[in-house]
Structures are given as structure tokens and as C-alpha cells.
């Protein structure tokens, strides 16, 4: 009976059997062997954002004729530490990681240092660990862009209401929280008041419910900013279900430029979103990885934190067609 | 774990009256999942040659420890007919408090804080269940939210983290050290299982837990206090989380309110997969131990072979069902003379009393 | 009033929370907000009612959250592929029923513990949703699907109407039909039920299919709100569904079903959640509050019930 259970496993294993023995045989202390192996530990392949990041990274790696190894953290800090360390054990020459919990980078980088493997962090955050470089979107700046757009759009709609709402990600996402913080600072500077700041735990279902509650308490809100697009589009749906327009009545702005947000913007189902470019970020990490391997100096935007910024951009109906 | 033999399963109250001699079914009860694990271990190197690398084996054992240690405690709770849904919240809270204590008083403070916080969480659960008579399911569901909530409040300014410059501290060594090639967390797990085995099989308390889980009413008539059993098992779960948190936090270095979301289901699944009955009264620590390793090994192979995570889920789920199917079919053989009926039952249920 | 309290002890904490919110906020008692709470409660009550039968049978189904995701994916991808929306919705319900059937067969014919069987289907079904969609959103814009949450036949929001119908059906099933009695019989003593000649396996399969279908409907309601389906929806919903049932007083050990309790449980949970949002509570404190309120409500209920069983225990242990 249990042999049957192992059969699919064995098949699955055999199907994807890679050159595991080869890479194990590689001496990890010699980064300049025939073929450079890049390990990429990704936050969670369930999300389109990270699928794009993986694509950008993988394509840049194969373009250089290097070997690519993927590990999926599946939104779990234990899997992140175990799997990323296993990548290092398996003999990768450089580790690129988009960490589920940046504060858990310590043990991974400790292991990488012991084996002489450079570590490039892609987005999310660095958690104060001694990584070689981090590519990061300007979260706070993105929130500011959203606020500026919202203030302009509310005025264009001819609304005089000065109340707006802000929907946050799950409380542990401290880096994503910078988007809401940047938004709040800029929108208050523009003379608005954030009357509700509630968490939708990054989930679309909860974003919808939270927006319903906001509408019940403050039917006069003129705009809402959500920390990610699933919640932004969900909040826009709640606004539509209340018989209002998420563009003309209550200006709804999301973050990420996920496909669902772009589709919604084209159909007036969302006013705007802030685009990060995960594909370009992935490619940029590979460029930095090469520099780290060759020991050439990296130009940082913020040298103290070894940060390299990838610009963010506001996407509304005016420029949505320019986005792939 | 190799110190046990089949006779050690003898005092199990549920089956003790059915068959004194070791039968195939009884053997399967204790060793079934271990057999599956051994088979998996024998086959794995064929599909994943990298599996046998020393560093990979160490990694599997090291990362199994925290789940395994909590599962040992949970085996007692489930044997007593209850389960603790709050272990994920406990792990998050204990980890956060431990890191805070480490910042304040170094390694001894951290170790003390972990054990004390774990025990305290267990006592809160026990108090709710015995003093306020809240059913264990709801009580621990409620405290799951509460413990996580407290952990969130303690980490409002960001997760608690072990600073990178502490890399040489003895505290970090708990998670990273190898003793003669064996990872220290796994050594701790072995010690915990040895102690748990003695507690379950060689003490009156262990037998009382099983007796109570088997039939709370009958146990009461024998003078076993329900309150004390529940106090004992929930405190024990809390203690196991305290120990587990030490092996967890020294590997991951960080914790906040969301640490190990969904942990409770993983732990309970390991215990049940091992062969401990959710109905209570029957417990096998060897089974729990093997089930924890089984899931870890499977996960390691799937991840190591680069199977996409959507398919990892499907394979893991199928393996769970197949492993338990073997067990489910075994129960049909447990009653003497049931083989014929079981075969008839598999062929088609028309001979069953269902249609009578 | 005392009769109602005896049958539905949750009415008391519910009243308490409602009065507190009416006093501390100026928006709780507005028509729009009450409708908002009731719609949210209706959406979790529908699967809760099916789960009530499952718990009364002494078992529970952990896979329902994944069924929510699968139903949404099936419905939305079918609509995208050009299947008419009503048919796509039926397909989603069928997918839910199929998951239920799989659960029922694995539990009865293969003898796998329900906890593990449904935990395994939880993992597998989510894996299927993710693999089928390749992690992409299935975005639709369907008025027919929207009608499920947006429609107002007779001026009543559709989810509330659906929940009332489901509640009436569940009450009738539990209290007035042979099937309802059978389910409770299986829950209070499965072997006794089997020996008495009840078709135990078929009853169990039927209940799992019902739960699966209710999960399908839940998924449709969520996808109707969000106009999309994907592999991430419904994460952790299994605990939501089980919580409202347990809160409503249906014993986890089986043999009892409180339909009214489940409905009130759903309303209580959603009232608390809504109230915390109206009060602008930070998320860390929201979790603590929900947990504390759950424990308090249950402790109060348990204390009220204590006088009966307690003396018996003391006599024996003395």
C-alpha cells in the first residue's frame, strides 16, 4: 500500500532530478569554477509578484550561462532558514534571497560567510544582517506618490471631503508598513485626515470586509490607500458594491501593480497603484551578484545600509497601457 | 528510541484486554510509521543522491527538533483525549520573551525565560480548562489568539531579533552546535523523547493519562482526578514548547506574533500520523518520533529536488492519506476474525450491516 | 426569554457586546452597518451550518478553506473560458461536493482519521488550486456572480436570504428528519448506531458532501465579492467555520447540534470584529480581544452549565 504512496514521489523526484551530485561535489570555497551556480531563495511562489521576481532572476542567470537553483520559502521562516542554508550546503557560488522574515537572515548569512558565499538580498528588507547588497523598492516614497496622486484626484473629482482611510498589511510586515507610513505623512501634509487605519492582514477577503466597515463608520471618506493590490482591488470592489465609484467617488489606490490591479485600473475598478518592477529587481540582483563574485565595488544609493534602490512609479489610467 | 521493544506497548489499556500476545496489528500500532520511514529512507538515496550528504542529514535532524519536541508533549494531551490548539501562539510568545530575556540577561536568562514562559502558557490553558470548565478545544483556540496577540504587542516596533554580533554566544550554539556530528537540537529531542517514554510507560502518572483518555468516566470511578490529568498534560505541552522554542529561536534568530503560523495543525498531524488516537487512551511516542522525521525527510527531498511548491503540497497530502490508509485498514484487522469482513468490506460494502 | 436563553445562551453575550458598541460608537446602530454585520455573519453561517452537522457527528472537516479557494478558481476560470456564469457556479458547487465526496470516501472506506484525512485534502486541494492557476489571479467581471452578494430580492441582501434558507433547512433537518436524528446518533455512539442498522458510512459521506458543497457556496460568495478566484483565498477559513459552530454550543464530541447557536455564533464573531474596526483598534489588540472574548463567552456558558455535572464528579473523586 505504501509503495504506491512513494511511487508518485519517486516519479516527481525523478522528473526534476537535477545535477544534485555534481553541485555537491563542487568545492564551495572555489567560486571561480567552470559554471557559476546561483541559488535564489524566493519568498513565496504563490504570489505573482515573486513569480515575476523569479523570472527576472532566472532569465538574467541563464543569460550569463550560469546555473540557477530555486528554493521556495513558502511564507515560512523555518523553511526560509532551512532551505536557504541547504542551498549554501549544496555548493552555490552566490545566494540571492527575498526573505520572508528579514530578521531571520542572520543565521543564513552566518553560514554563507563561513563558506565564502556572497549574499544579495532582493526587496522586503535586510534585518540588520551583514549582506553584501540589498535591492529595495522605495516603500515610503511609493506611499508618498500614492498620497500625492490621491490628493490631486480628489480635487479633480470636485470633492471637498478631507477624510481618507488606510488599510495595512499584517502587523508583522514592518517594511510594507512603511508604505502606509509614507502615505500618511504625505496625505496629512496635503491637509487630509486619516480617519481609519486598519489591518486587512494582506488578504483580499479581509481587505473587502475592512473597507465595508470603514464605509459604515465614515461614509464620507474621499480616498483609501491599501498596502498591497489584492486588498486595494478588494476595497475597490467593496466601494463598487456600495454603489460608488473607486475612481470618481472614493479614490482607491493600491501597491505593487499586480495584473489584477492593472486590469481593474483599465476598467475603472481601481484609481491607481504604485508599481514596483520585480522582474527588473531580479535582473539587478544578478548584476550585483556578478560584481560581488568578481569583488568589484558596488555603487550604493545608501551606502550605510548597502542599499540599491529600484524606482517606483505611479500607475493610473493615464499610463497603464505603458505597463506590460 | 531503539531502547523500546514491542512489549513496551503492553500496558495500553485499550487493547490490553484484546490480545496479550504481540500480533501483526499490535506491532503495526507501534512500529508502522517507523517501517514506512525506514522504507522511505532506503529509497530516498535512489531519487535524491544529495540526501545522504552529512550536511543535509544534519539539516533535516536540526530542523525536525522543535516540531518533534512539541509533538512529544502533544502526544500526552491527545492520549488524554484533548488537544492543544494554542501551541503556535505559545511558540511565538515564548520565542519573543526568550529573545527579550537574552537581551536583558544573556544565555541563562533566556533559557530560564523560555522554560518559565512555556510552563506559564500551559498553566493558563490548564486553568481555563479545569477551573473555568471551558472545553479544551475552545480554550486553546482562544489562547492561541491571546498568546499571539501578546507576542504582537511585544513586537510592535518590529520583530525581536538576535543581533548578528551575538553569533559567537553560547545561546546561538544551542541551535548550531553538533555533538559528535549530531546536531544539538536533535540530541535535545532524543533526551525529551527518552524522558517522555519513561513518563508514559514507567510511571503511574503516564498510566493515569492513558486510562483517563481511554474513558474519563471509568477513570473517575478509579479515583483519577480529571482536573489533575488536564493540569498535567497542558502544563507538559507548555513545558515542551518552552524547550522547543530554545532549539527554534537559536536557529531562526527572530520571532514576532506571526511566528510559525499554522504550527498547531503540523504538530497534531504528526502525533496522529504516528498512531496516537485522537479519541484518547492510546499513545505511541515512537510513532510520533518517526512521523516527525517522515514529514521532514519528505519535505527535504521535495524541496531538494526542486519540485514546485504547488506539487509539494499535493504529494505531501497524498502521502498523509496513504500512510493513514494503511493504519485505517489495520484497524479493520484488529478485531479477531475481522480479516474476512475487512476484505469483503473493501470489495464492496453490500455485505455490511449498512444495507441490512 | 429564559427559554430562549436556555436554547441559545449566546444571546446574552451578543446582547452585551451590541449594547456596549451602541454606547461607544455612533455608527454601530446605523442600518448600513447592521446590514454589513449580518451579511458578513451570513457568509460564515452558511458553511457553519453544514459544519454543525459534521461536528454533531463527532467529526470535523479541515479542508473547507481550500474548498473555498477551489470553488472560486473553478467558477472564475470557467467564466473566463466562456462557460455561462450560472453553469460555472454549478460547476463550482459540484467541485465542492466532489471534495466532500473524496473526504467521505477516504474517511469511511479507507478508515483514515477525519482529522488527518481532511488535513490532507486541505493541502492537496490548495495545491490543486495553485497548480491549476499557476499562482495567477482568475479575474472576472460577471454580473450574475455579483448577484450572489449584491442582489436584493425582496429588498433583502442575497447572502442573508441564503443564510435564512440554509438555517431553516438545517433546523428542519436536525429537528424534524430521520437523517438529522441519524447524524446525532452516529455522533453520540457510532458503534451503537451501526449495530442498530443505520447506514453509518452513507450518513457520514452525505455529511461530508454537504460540508463540501457549503464550502463551494462559501467560495462563490467570496469570489462574488472579489470578482476573482485564486489559490490564496480561504486561507485559515476552516477555523472560522469550526469556531462559530463550537461557540454556538454544538459539542465537539458529537451527538448534539445547535443550529440557532451556530447562527448566533456567527453573528457574535462578526459583531466583535466589526466593533473592533469601528473602534479603530490596532491589529495586535484585535487578536487579543477576539481570543479573550471567545474564552470569556465560553467560560460564562460553561459556568452556567456547571451545576449539573459537577456534583457527580465530586462524589466520585471524593
Amino acid at each position: 500500500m505504501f509503495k504506491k504512496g512513494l511511487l508518485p514521489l519517486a516519479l516527481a523526484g525523478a522528473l526534476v532530478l537535477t545535477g544534485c551530485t555534481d553541485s555537491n561535489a563542487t568545492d564551495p570555497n572555489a567560486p571561480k569554477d567552470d559554471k557559476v551556480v546561483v541559488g535564489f531563495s524566493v519568498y513565496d511562489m504563490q504570489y505573482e509578484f515573486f513569480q515575476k521576481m523569479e523570472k527576472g532572476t532566472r532569465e538574467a542567470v541563464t543569460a550569463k550561462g550560469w546555473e540557477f537553483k530555486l528554493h521556495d520559502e513558502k511564507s515560512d521562516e523555518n523553511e526560509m532558514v532551512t532551505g536557504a542554508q541547504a542551498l549554501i550546503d549544496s555548493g552555490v557560488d552566490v545566494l540571492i534571497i527575498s526573505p520572508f522574515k528579514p530578521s531571520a537572515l542572520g543565521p543564513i548569512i552566518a553560514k554563507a560567510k563561513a563558506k565564502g558565499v556572497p549574499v544579495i538580498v532582493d526587496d522586503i528588507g535586510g534585518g540588520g544582517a551583514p549582506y553584501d547588497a540589498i535591492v529595495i523598492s522605495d516603500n515610503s516614497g511609493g506611499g508618498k506618490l500614492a498620497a500625492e496622486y490621491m490628493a490631486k484626484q480628489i480635487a479633480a473629482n470636485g470633492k471637498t471631503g478631507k477624510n481618507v482611510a488606510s488599510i495595512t498589511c499584517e502587523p508583522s510586515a514592518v517594511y510594507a508598513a512603511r508604505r502606509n507610513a509614507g502615505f500618511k505623512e504625505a496625505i496629512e501634509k496635503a491637509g487630509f485626515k486619516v480617519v481609519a487605519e486598519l489591518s486587512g492582514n494582506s488578504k483580499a477577503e479581509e481587505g473587502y470586509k475592512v473597507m465595508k466597515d470603514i464605509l459604515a463608520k465614515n461614509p464620507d471618506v474621499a480616498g483609501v490607500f491599501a498596502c498591497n493590490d489584492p486588498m486595494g482591488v478588494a476595497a475597490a470592489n467593496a466601494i463598487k458594491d456600495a454603489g460608488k465609484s473607486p475612481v470618481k467617488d472614493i479614490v482607491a489606490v493600491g501597491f505593487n501593480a499586480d495584473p489584477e490591479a492593472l486590469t481593474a485600473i483599465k476598467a475603472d475598478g481601481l484609481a491607481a497603484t504604485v508599481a514596483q518592477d520585480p522582474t527588473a529587481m531580479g535582473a539587478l540582483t544578478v548584476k550585483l551578484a556578478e560584481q560581488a563574485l568578481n569583488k568589484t565595488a558596488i555603487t550604493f544609493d545608501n551606502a550605510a545600509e548597502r542599499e540599491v534602490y529600484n524606482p517606483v512609479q505611479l500607475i493610473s489610467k493615464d499610463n497603464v497601457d505603458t505597463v506590460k | 528510541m531503539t531502547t523500546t521493544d514491542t512489549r513496551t506497548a503492553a500496558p495500553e489499556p485499550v487493547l490490553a484486554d484484546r490480545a496479550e500476545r504481540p500480533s501483526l496489528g499490535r506491532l503495526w500500532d507501534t512500529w508502522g510509521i517507523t517501517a514506512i520511514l525506514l522504507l522511505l529512507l532506503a529509497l530516498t538515496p535512489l531519487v535524491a543522491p544529495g540526501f545522504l550528504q552529512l550536511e543535509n542529514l544534519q539539516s533535516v535532524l536540526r530542523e525536525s527538533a522543535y516540531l518533534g519536541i512539541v509533538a512529544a508533549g502533544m502526544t500526552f494531551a491527545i492520549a488524554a483525549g484533548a488537544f492543544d490548539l494554542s501551541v503556535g501562539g505559545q511558540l511565538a510568545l515564548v520565542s519573543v520573551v526568550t529573545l527579550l530575556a537574552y537581551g536583558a540577561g544573556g544565555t541563562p536568562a533566556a533559557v530560564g525565560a523560555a522554560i518559565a514562559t512555556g510552563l506559564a502558557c500551559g498553566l493558563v490553558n490548564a486553568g481555563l480548562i479545569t477551573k473555568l470548565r471551558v472545553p479544551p478545544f475552545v480554550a486553546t483556540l482562544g489562547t492561541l489568539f491571546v498568546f499571539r496577540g501578546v507576542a504582537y504587542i511585544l513586537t510592535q516596533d518590529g520583530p525581536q531579533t538576535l543581533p548578528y554580533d551575538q553569533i559567537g554566544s553560547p545561546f546561538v550554539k544551542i541551535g548550531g552546535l553538533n555533538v559528535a556530528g549530531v546536531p544539538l537540537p536533535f540530541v535535545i529531542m532524543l533526551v525529551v523523547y527518552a524522558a517522555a517514554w519513561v513518563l508514559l510507560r514507567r510511571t503511574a502518572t503516564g498510566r493515569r493519562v492513558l486510562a483517563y483518555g481511554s474513558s474519563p468516566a471509568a477513570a473517575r470511578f478509579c479515583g483519577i482526578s480529571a482536573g489533575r490529568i488536564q493540569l498535567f498534560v497542558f502544563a507538559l505541552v507548555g513545558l515542551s514548547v518552552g524547550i522547543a522554542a530554545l532549539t527554534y529561536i537559536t536557529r531562526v534568530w527572530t520571532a514576532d506574533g506571526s511566528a510559525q503560523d499554522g504550527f498547531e495543525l503540523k504538530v497534531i498531524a504528526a502525533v496522529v500520523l504516528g498512531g496516537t488516537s485522537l479519541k484518547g487512551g492510546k499513545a505511541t511516542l515512537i510513532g510520533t518520533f518517526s512521523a516527525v522525521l517522515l514529514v521532514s525527510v519528505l519535505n527535504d527531498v521535495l524541496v531538494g529536488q526542486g519540485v514546485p511548491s504547488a506539487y509539494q503540497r499535493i504529494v505531501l497530502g497524498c502521502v498523509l492519506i496513504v500512510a493513514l490508509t494503511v493504519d485505517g485498514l489495520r484497524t479493520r484487522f484488529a478485531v479477531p476474525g475481522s480479516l474476512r469482513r475487512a476484505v469483503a468490506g473493501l470489495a464492496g460494502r453490500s455485505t455490511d450491516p449498512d444495507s441490512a | 426569554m429564559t427559554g430562549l436563553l436556555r436554547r441559545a445562551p449566546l444571546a446574552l453575550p451578543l446582547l452585551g457586546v451590541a449594547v456596549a458598541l451602541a454606547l461607544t460608537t455612533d455608527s454601530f446602530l446605523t442600518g448600513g452597518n447592521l446590514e454589513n454585520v449580518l451579511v458578513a455573519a451570513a457568509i460564515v453561517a452558511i458553511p457553519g451550518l453544514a459544519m454543525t452537522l459534521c461536528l454533531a457527528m463527532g467529526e470535523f472537516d479541515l479542508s473547507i478553506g481550500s474548498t473555498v479557494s477551489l470553488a472560486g478558481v473553478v467558477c472564475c476560470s470557467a467564466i473566463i473560458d466562456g462557460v455561462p456564469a450560472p453553469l460555472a457556479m454549478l460547476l463550482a458547487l459540484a467541485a465542492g461536493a466532489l471534495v466532500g465526496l473524496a473526504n467521505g470516501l477516504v474517511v469511511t472506506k479507507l478508515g483514515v482519521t477525519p482529522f488527518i484525512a481532511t488535513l490532507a485534502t486541505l493541502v492537496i486541494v490548495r495545491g490543486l488550486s495553485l497548480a491549476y492557476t499557476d499562482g495567477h489571479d482568475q479575474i472576472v467581471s460577471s454580473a450574475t456572480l455579483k448577484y450572489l452578494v449584491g442582489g436584493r430580492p425582496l429588498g433583502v441582501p442575497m447572502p442573508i436570504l441564503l443564510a435564512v434558507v440554509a438555517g431553516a433547512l438545517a433546523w428542519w433537518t436536525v429537528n424534524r428528519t430521520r437523517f438529522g436524528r441519524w447524524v446525532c446518533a452516529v455522533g453520540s455512539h457510532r458503534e451503537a448506531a451501526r449495530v442498530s442498522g443505520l447506514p453509518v458510512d452513507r450518513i457520514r459521506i452525505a455529511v461530508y458532501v454537504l460540508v463540501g458543497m457549503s464550502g463551494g457556496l462559501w467560495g462563490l460568495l467570496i469570489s462574488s465579492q472579489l470578482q476573482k478566484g485564486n489559490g490564496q483565498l480561504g486561507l485559515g477559513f476552516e477555523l472560522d467555520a469550526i469556531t462559530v459552530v463550537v461557540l454556538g454550543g454544538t459539542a465537539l464530541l458529537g451527538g448534539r447540534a445547535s443550529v440557532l447557536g451556530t447562527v448566533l455564533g456567527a453573528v457574535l464573531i462578526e459583531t466583535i470584529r466589526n466593533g473592533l474596526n469601528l473602534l479603530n483598534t490596532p491589529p495586535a489588540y484585535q487578536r487579543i480581544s477576539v481570543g479573550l472574548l471567545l474564552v470569556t463567552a465560553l467560560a460564562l456558558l460553561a459556568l452556567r452549565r456547571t451545576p449539573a455535572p459537577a456534583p457527580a464528579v465530586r462524589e466520585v473523586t471524593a
Side-chain angles (χ1 to χ4, degrees):
Chain A
M1 208 55 207
F2 35 79
K3 269 190 180 163
K4 270 190 191 164
L6 288 168
L7 194 61
L9 167 67
L11 283 177
L15 276 176
V16 287
L17 193 63
T18 48
C20 211
T21 30
D22 295 341
S23 50
N24 273 310
T26 335
D27 179 8
N29 292 319
K32 294 265 165 58
D33 55 347
D34 301 329
K35 199 170 184 184
V36 175
V37 183
V38 177
F40 177 43
S41 176
V42 66
Y43 186 106
D44 195 330
M45 285 293 279
Q46 281 187 49
Y47 300 103
E48 307 224 37
F49 183 81
F50 294 104
Q51 291 170 3
K52 283 189 186 167
M53 186 186 276
E54 188 265 349
K55 184 166 169 274
T57 314
R58 178 167 36 81
E59 285 175 355
V61 168
T62 39
K64 292 195 186 296
W66 293 350
E67 189 185 333
F68 180 74
K69 271 194 180 184
L70 178 69
H71 164 249
D72 186 348
E73 295 160 18
K74 290 178 282 187
S75 302
D76 182 318
E77 57 271 49
N78 180 54
E79 181 61 49
M80 166 183 153
V81 172
T82 311
Q85 289 187 338
L87 274 181
I88 299 169
D89 280 338
S90 79
V92 296
D93 300 301
V94 58
L95 178 71
I96 302 174
I97 181 165
S98 57
F100 170 66
K101 282 275 163 71
S103 45
L105 276 171
I108 297 170
I109 290 172
K111 178 141 207 168
K113 289 249 180 247
K115 295 233 174 193
V117 174
V119 178
I120 311 291
V121 181
D122 197 352
D123 203 29
I124 321 295
Y131 45 80
D132 291 84
I134 178 167
V135 171
I136 198 152
S137 288
D138 188 355
N139 281 311
S140 171
K144 196 164 155 248
L145 278 182
E148 284 161 0
Y149 169 83
M150 189 184 285
K152 202 176 75 196
Q153 185 65 27
I154 290 172
N157 289 345
K159 303 273 173 186
T160 52
K162 289 289 176 197
N163 289 346
V164 293
S166 170
I167 302 178
T168 59
C169 287
E170 76 269 19
S172 57
V174 280
Y175 302 91
R178 289 181 188 165
R179 301 170 187 171
N180 296 82
F183 166 78
K184 189 173 182 182
E185 196 188 321
I187 201 85
E188 282 177 349
K189 209 172 275 174
F192 289 84
K193 184 165 179 266
V194 179
V195 288
E197 189 162 18
L198 294 166
S199 170
N201 286 312
S202 305
K203 292 182 184 166
E205 303 98 308
E206 293 189 34
Y208 182 93
K209 274 196 198 179
V210 163
M211 191 63 218
K212 282 273 198 178
D213 289 343
I214 291 173
L215 288 172
K217 190 187 176 199
N218 302 97
D220 61 335
V221 286
V224 57
F225 171 68
C227 166
N228 69 10
D229 273 339
M231 294 195 296
V233 176
N237 270 309
I239 294 170
K240 279 199 284 183
D241 288 356
K244 292 182 174 171
S245 157
V247 180
K248 297 283 170 208
D249 297 319
I250 300 173
V251 181
V253 182
F255 204 109
N256 269 2
D258 286 343
E260 67 168 323
L262 302 180
T263 312
I265 289 173
K266 285 174 196 160
D268 284 329
L270 182 73
T273 184
V274 177
Q276 311 186 70
D277 191 345
T279 321
M281 291 169 83
L284 183 53
T285 55
V286 178
K287 192 181 131 207
L288 296 178
E290 186 173 30
Q291 290 176 330
L293 276 175
N294 296 336
K295 308 254 190 307
T296 44
I298 295 171
T299 329
F300 296 110
D301 291 302
N302 173 2
E305 300 289 331
R306 297 174 304 289
E307 291 176 343
V308 178
Y309 292 140
N310 202 57
V312 290
Q313 184 192 2
L314 191 106
I315 308 289
S316 66
K317 203 163 188 183
D318 301 333
N319 60 352
V320 66
D321 292 323
T322 63
V323 185
K324 287 192 301 256
Chain B
M1 286 313 98
T2 47
T3 57
T4 6
D5 61 6
T6 48
R7 271 170 296 149
T8 59
E12 282 175 10
V14 173
L15 292 170
D17 53 340
R18 280 195 185 146
E20 289 300 328
R21 280 170 295 127
S23 68
L24 194 62
R26 302 282 313 291
L27 268 175
W28 182 261
D29 257 355
T30 318
W31 292 102
I33 204 75
T34 314
I36 298 182
L37 173 67
L38 292 175
L39 189 77
L40 179 69
L41 286 176
L43 290 180
T44 299
L46 301 179
V47 285
F51 179 78
L52 285 182
Q53 292 282 317
L54 177 66
E55 277 169 333
N56 189 58
L57 289 175
Q58 286 175 338
S59 155
V60 171
L61 296 182
R62 188 175 289 123
E63 74 107 17
S64 311
Y66 77 106
L67 182 78
I69 293 168
V70 180
M74 188 71 88
T75 305
F76 282 81
I78 294 182
F83 52 91
D84 187 338
L85 284 176
S86 72
V87 286
Q90 292 185 32
L91 186 71
L93 180 58
V94 173
S95 300
V96 168
V97 173
T98 305
L99 287 177
L100 283 170
Y102 180 76
T107 309
V111 173
I115 307 289
T117 317
L119 259 179
C121 290
L123 290 176
V124 168
N125 282 332
L128 285 172
I129 292 160
T130 58
K131 299 293 173 215
L132 296 180
R133 297 184 179 280
V134 183
F137 186 94
V138 195
T140 55
L141 183 63
T143 51
L144 169 65
F145 287 103
V146 175
F147 293 150
R148 280 204 186 281
V150 176
Y152 270 122
I153 291 175
L154 291 175
T155 55
Q156 278 193 84
D157 304 324
Q160 278 299 322
T161 308
L162 215 58
Y164 193 81
D165 56 21
Q166 295 299 311
I167 186 163
S169 108
F171 186 57
V172 175
K173 292 279 188 294
I174 297 178
L177 205 67
N178 291 323
V179 182
V182 184
L184 185 56
F186 187 69
V187 174
I188 297 176
M189 175 173 161
L190 284 177
V191 171
V192 165
Y193 271 83
W197 183 84
V198 170
L199 194 56
L200 185 69
R201 298 291 176 211
R202 290 285 178 268
T203 67
T205 314
R207 279 196 294 278
R208 287 202 188 110
V209 169
L210 288 171
Y212 178 78
S214 174
S215 170
R220 266 182 221 139
F221 282 110
C222 301
I224 295 173
S225 153
R228 270 190 223 158
I229 296 290
Q230 282 167 334
L231 178 68
F232 173 72
V233 295
F234 284 98
L236 197 64
V237 172
L239 179 64
S240 70
V241 174
I243 300 171
L246 286 173
T247 70
Y248 171 78
I249 202 66
T250 49
R251 272 187 48 251
V252 176
W253 293 22
T254 182
D256 60 22
S258 71
Q260 287 299 300
D261 212 4
F263 185 56
E264 48 286 344
L265 288 186
K266 285 187 201 161
V267 174
I268 297 171
V271 176
V272 177
L273 186 62
T276 298
S277 164
L278 270 180
K279 293 192 178 63
K282 188 179 149 238
T284 153
L285 283 162
I286 304 153
T288 305
F289 183 87
S290 300
V292 168
L293 288 184
L294 181 79
V295 174
S296 282
V297 169
L298 260 180
N299 193 50
D300 179 78
V301 173
L302 292 171
V303 171
Q305 295 303 301
V307 177
S309 44
Y311 296 93
Q312 285 177 21
R313 289 167 214 266
I314 296 176
V315 174
L316 267 177
C318 289
V319 168
L320 272 183
I321 289 195
V322 171
L324 265 287
T325 299
V326 176
D327 184 55
L329 295 179
R330 202 271 311 145
T331 12
R332 288 173 188 259
F333 295 82
V335 185
S338 59
L339 178 67
R340 190 177 40 80
R341 264 177 288 143
V343 172
L346 270 182
R349 301 289 290 170
S350 55
T351 52
D352 216 59
D354 289 9
S355 52
Chain C
M1 187 64 189
T2 48
L4 177 75
L5 272 184
R6 193 158 36 77
R7 273 189 298 144
L10 271 193
L12 206 59
L14 179 59
L15 204 67
V17 172
V19 169
L21 285 176
L23 292 178
T24 49
T25 69
D26 44 12
S27 39
F28 178 71
L29 276 186
T30 57
N33 190 58
L34 289 180
E35 178 186 312
N36 178 13
V37 172
L38 289 179
V39 166
I43 290 176
V44 67
I46 292 170
L49 288 164
M51 196 63 90
T52 306
L53 284 180
C54 198
L55 266 82
M57 202 170 68
E59 299 179 15
F60 49 108
D61 183 348
L62 292 175
S63 68
I64 193 162
S66 299
T67 311
V68 165
S69 146
L70 182 71
V73 165
V74 166
C75 175
C76 294
S77 4
I79 291 177
I80 291 170
D81 291 343
V83 177
L87 189 61
M89 287 156 74
L90 283 179
L91 277 178
L93 285 183
L98 215 60
V99 174
L101 183 67
N103 280 330
L105 288 175
V106 170
V107 164
T108 56
K109 302 298 177 195
L110 298 180
V112 178
T113 322
F115 185 92
I116 296 289
T118 57
L119 182 61
T121 37
L122 174 157
V123 182
I124 295 174
V125 170
R126 190 163 295 284
L128 286 175
S129 304
L130 285 169
Y132 184 73
T133 58
D134 211 5
H136 297 300
D137 286 316
Q138 307 290 308
I139 307 161
V140 297
S141 176
S142 160
T144 321
L145 182 59
K146 191 86 228 179
Y147 190 74
L148 215 49
V149 287
R152 290 180 157 275
L154 315 169
V156 184
M158 196 64 182
I160 298 182
L161 205 65
L162 285 172
V164 168
V165 172
L169 271 175
W171 187 88
W172 179 72
T173 306
V174 168
N175 296 301
R176 292 282 183 274
T177 66
R178 207 172 49 165
F179 180 70
R181 282 200 308 278
W182 284 358
V183 168
C184 290
V186 172
S188 48
H189 203 300
R190 193 193 302 164
E191 271 321 297
R194 198 188 292 278
V195 173
S196 320
L198 296 191
V200 172
D201 282 3
R202 266 181 254 159
I203 295 170
R204 294 170 77 198
I205 294 176
V207 169
Y208 279 104
V209 170
L210 266 176
V211 175
M213 279 175 66
S214 76
L217 183 54
W218 199 2
L220 285 177
L221 287 163
I222 296 293
S223 288
S224 165
Q225 284 182 337
L226 303 176
Q227 293 287 305
K228 71 169 178 184
N230 71 26
Q232 292 110 41
L233 295 181
L235 271 177
F237 274 25
E238 52 283 350
L239 276 185
D240 294 357
I242 294 173
T243 303
V244 298
V245 181
V246 176
L247 196 55
T250 298
L252 262 177
L253 288 175
R256 271 180 46 197
S258 172
V259 170
L260 185 59
T262 298
V263 173
L264 287 179
V267 177
L268 178 62
I269 286 276
E270 287 302 328
T271 307
I272 293 172
R273 196 194 49 76
N274 169 266
L276 291 171
N277 276 347
L278 294 186
L279 294 168
N280 244 335
T281 322
Y285 294 92
Q286 289 216 3
R287 281 166 205 250
I288 277 211
S289 317
V290 170
L292 284 179
L293 283 165
L294 264 181
V295 173
T296 317
L298 264 288
L300 285 176
L301 296 183
L303 285 176
R304 272 169 41 85
R305 277 200 297 267
T306 324
V313 179
R314 285 200 202 99
E315 277 163 36
V316 181
T317 49

